């Protein structure tokens, strides 16, 4: 993995994008801001899953009027997503959003962009210049990814120059296409043009499966090249799934660690147990754990403790039972009906020790790891949420 590209730090509420700040995870609400109760509930679910920044669509004046209350109550910094009408952007800035996302291809020309930039500068609010290949006229008809990417970068630079010309430098740039090749080319090129933090993602990535694969290739490739400061996985699914996949990408690339990584053998003729249901049960049980932990689930002795030695805990399963291991060392033998519970119990003990050794409090009372820690401590103390 290459060294991370140097970018300018841009404050967004209590979060920093770029600089030496960790690559952050964001998502977008599926609800209109006027649906305040449901929207806040959704944001809370996203925050619990690891989302660090929430974008909301601002399609009309009703949405603008709902923003002040939303900003005041949201557990995450709020980004207003505005298209077509610069007056909505001005209203969102007055409402106190932490960041403004505009698309230079449809905001209404340089004069109106200048008004928005001046208002953002006065309030110290960051602007994300978001260029989507599908909404930039210069890209239409161009099929070569390099040509499409060049047109996207030129469109972004034109708008960035206007904003910076007004003395506002709190800018984040996003260059997205629905195809991986154009997205890669555009971000690689933009990374050479200046030090603006880059937001990574695809547009219209697709369903949970297809979108996760495409996003992992595009985002993961750029991160491994040292490019990218904040990411969003766009899926036609519950936005919580976007956040989970984003963290999967960060863990897989070694960029950040949060939550449990479950690894499992793909099975073969040596496997003597129905392994897939075991994996599914374990993944479901640990979905909300926040402690960085690796659990290995193996279907036979060949892919047992030896090949999963680097896992924190694991299970090597057979037709009559299995063995539980930590870092490759067997710590117990269990019957078939006890395997999942025994593995989760060992994982909870490992999670508790990781948190103790890290000097951090467990972030969620829902965590099984916390339960084990409480039992070892002999109390029921509440633990504060960690920042990750």
């Amino acid at each position: 993995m290459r060294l991370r590209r140097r970018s300018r730090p841009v404050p967004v509420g209590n979060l920093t994008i770029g600089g030496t700040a960790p690559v952050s995870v964001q998502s977008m609400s599926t609800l209109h801001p006027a649906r305040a109760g449901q929207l806040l509930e959704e944001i809370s679910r996203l925050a619990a899953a690891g989302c660090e920044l929430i974008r909301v669509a601002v399609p009309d004046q009703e949405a603008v009027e709902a923003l002040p209350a939303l900003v005041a109550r949201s557990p995450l910094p709020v980004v207003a997503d505005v298209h077509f009408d610069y007056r909505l952007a001005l209203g969102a800035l007055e409402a106190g959003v932490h960041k403004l996302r505009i698309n230079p291809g449809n905001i209404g020309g340089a004069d109106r962009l200048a008004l928005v930039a001046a208002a953002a500068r006065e309030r110290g609010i960051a602007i994300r210049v978001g260029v989507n290949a599908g909404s930039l006229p210069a890209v239409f008809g161009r099929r070569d990814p390099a040509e499409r990417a060049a047109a996207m970068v030129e469109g972004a630079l034109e708008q960035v120059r206007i904003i910076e010309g007004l003395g506002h430098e709190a800018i984040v740039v996003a260059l997205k296409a629905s195809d991986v090749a154009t997205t890669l080319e555009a971000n690689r090129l933009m990374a050479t043009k200046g030090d603006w933090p880059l937001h990574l993602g695809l547009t219209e990535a697709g369903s949970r499966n297809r979108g996760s694969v495409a996003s992992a290739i595009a985002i993961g490739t750029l991160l491994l090249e040292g490019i990218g400061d904040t990411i969003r996985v766009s899926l036609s699914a519950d936005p919580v799934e976007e956040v989970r996949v984003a963290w999967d990408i960060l863990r897989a690339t070694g960029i950040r660690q949060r939550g449990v990584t479950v690894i499992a053998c793909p099975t073969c003729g040596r496997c003597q147990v129905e392994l897939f249901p075991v994996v599914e049960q374990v993944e479901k049980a640990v979905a909300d754990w926040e402690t960085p932990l690796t659990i290995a689930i193996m279907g036979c002795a060949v892919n047992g403790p030896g090949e999963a030695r680097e896992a924190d805990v694991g299970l090597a399963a057979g037709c009559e039972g299995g063995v539980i291991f930590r870092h490759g060392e067997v710590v117990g033998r269990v019957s078939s009906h006890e395997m999942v519970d025994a593995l989760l119990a060992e994982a909870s003990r490992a999670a508790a020790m990781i948190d103790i050794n890290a000097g951090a409090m467990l972030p969620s009372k829902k965590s099984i790891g916390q339960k084990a820690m409480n039992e070892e401590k002999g109390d029921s103390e509440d633990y504060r949420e960690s920042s990750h």
Side-chain angles (χ1 to χ4, degrees):
M1 184 172 66
R2 298 182 187 176
L3 292 175
R4 185 174 167 190
R5 164 183 170 267
R6 187 185 299 273
S7 62
R8 70 180 67 167
V10 173
V12 180
N14 60 4
L15 187 72
T16 297
I17 297 176
T20 60
V23 175
S24 56
V25 172
Q26 56 183 275
S27 185
M28 187 166 184
S29 171
T30 62
L31 300 169
H32 190 284
R35 298 169 65 180
Q38 292 172 294
L39 177 51
L40 285 166
E41 181 181 352
E42 183 179 65
I43 294 174
S44 295
R45 288 196 303 116
L46 289 166
C51 185
E52 296 166 308
L53 188 66
I54 184 67
R55 181 155 52 108
V56 298
V58 182
D60 50 39
Q61 185 60 32
E62 184 183 17
V64 171
E65 293 170 359
L67 286 176
L70 174 64
V71 170
R73 298 175 62 191
S74 172
L76 301 176
V78 175
V79 182
D81 187 279
V82 178
H83 292 265
F84 307 117
D85 191 340
Y86 77 101
R87 293 168 297 185
L88 298 177
L90 294 174
L93 292 170
E94 292 177 4
V97 296
H98 302 101
K99 183 181 172 190
L100 178 68
R101 188 270 190 176
I102 56 175
N103 189 323
N106 63 31
I107 199 61
D111 292 344
R112 291 175 177 178
L113 175 61
L115 289 173
V116 173
R121 181 197 63 211
E122 291 172 4
R123 293 170 172 80
I125 296 175
I127 292 179
R128 171 181 148 189
V129 174
V131 177
N132 292 344
S135 61
L136 192 66
V139 176
F140 296 164
R142 303 192 185 198
R143 297 190 177 276
D144 179 69
E147 291 184 357
R148 290 163 59 85
M152 292 170 64
V153 169
E154 185 54 41
L157 288 174
E158 180 181 350
Q159 310 306 315
V160 167
R161 292 185 189 113
I162 294 172
I163 297 170
E164 288 191 330
L166 293 165
H168 190 46
E169 296 187 347
I171 300 170
V172 178
V173 176
L175 300 161
K176 298 184 180 183
S178 57
D179 66 290
V180 170
T182 300
T183 300
L184 291 176
E185 291 293 331
N187 282 278
R188 286 167 176 160
L189 180 58
M190 194 72 196
T192 68
K193 300 296 185 180
D195 67 346
W196 310 283
L198 296 180
H199 168 71
L200 305 182
L202 296 172
T203 61
E204 300 92 27
S207 64
R208 173 57 160 89
N209 291 340
R210 190 266 175 192
S212 297
V213 172
S215 296
I217 295 171
I219 296 172
T221 297
L222 290 167
L223 289 176
L224 289 172
E225 293 178 3
I227 298 171
D229 301 282
T230 181
I231 66 175
R232 182 208 171 182
V233 174
S234 299
L235 301 176
S236 298
D238 185 333
V240 168
E241 293 300 312
E242 297 186 350
V243 175
R244 288 174 176 163
V245 174
W247 277 103
D248 286 342
I249 294 171
L250 291 176
R251 284 195 296 265
T253 54
I255 302 295
R256 291 181 71 181
Q257 296 298 322
R258 179 190 187 277
V260 178
T261 299
V262 178
I263 60 175
C265 67
T267 75
C268 66
R270 285 187 294 268
C271 187
Q272 298 178 320
V273 63
E274 290 293 330
L275 199 66
F276 301 151
V278 174
V279 175
E280 290 176 358
Q281 289 178 60
V282 173
E283 285 189 329
K284 183 177 180 179
V286 302
D288 293 330
W289 293 22
E290 297 189 23
T291 304
L293 186 75
T294 301
I295 299 176
I297 304 174
M298 302 300 176
C300 71
V302 172
N303 284 332
E307 290 203 9
R309 188 173 300 277
E310 295 183 1
D312 294 293
V313 298
L315 165 71
C319 61
E320 297 181 356
V323 295
I324 305 297
F325 56 89
R326 273 207 199 189
H327 300 293
E329 299 296 327
V330 175
V331 296
R333 299 181 182 277
V334 294
S335 64
S336 297
H337 71 275
E338 297 173 317
M339 290 190 302
V340 172
D341 288 341
L343 177 59
L344 290 172
E346 191 66 28
S348 72
R349 287 189 284 272
M353 293 309 299
I354 288 173
D355 287 303
I356 290 173
N357 292 336
M361 297 301 185
L362 281 174
S364 171
K365 289 188 286 185
K366 296 179 181 178
S367 169
I368 296 179
Q370 178 180 323
K371 179 180 178 182
M373 186 175 179
N374 286 345
E375 290 172 351
E376 291 185 17
K377 288 168 64 74
D379 60 40
S380 59
E381 179 184 358
D382 285 341
Y383 294 91
R384 295 173 296 157
E385 186 171 4
S386 63
S387 61
H388 299 280

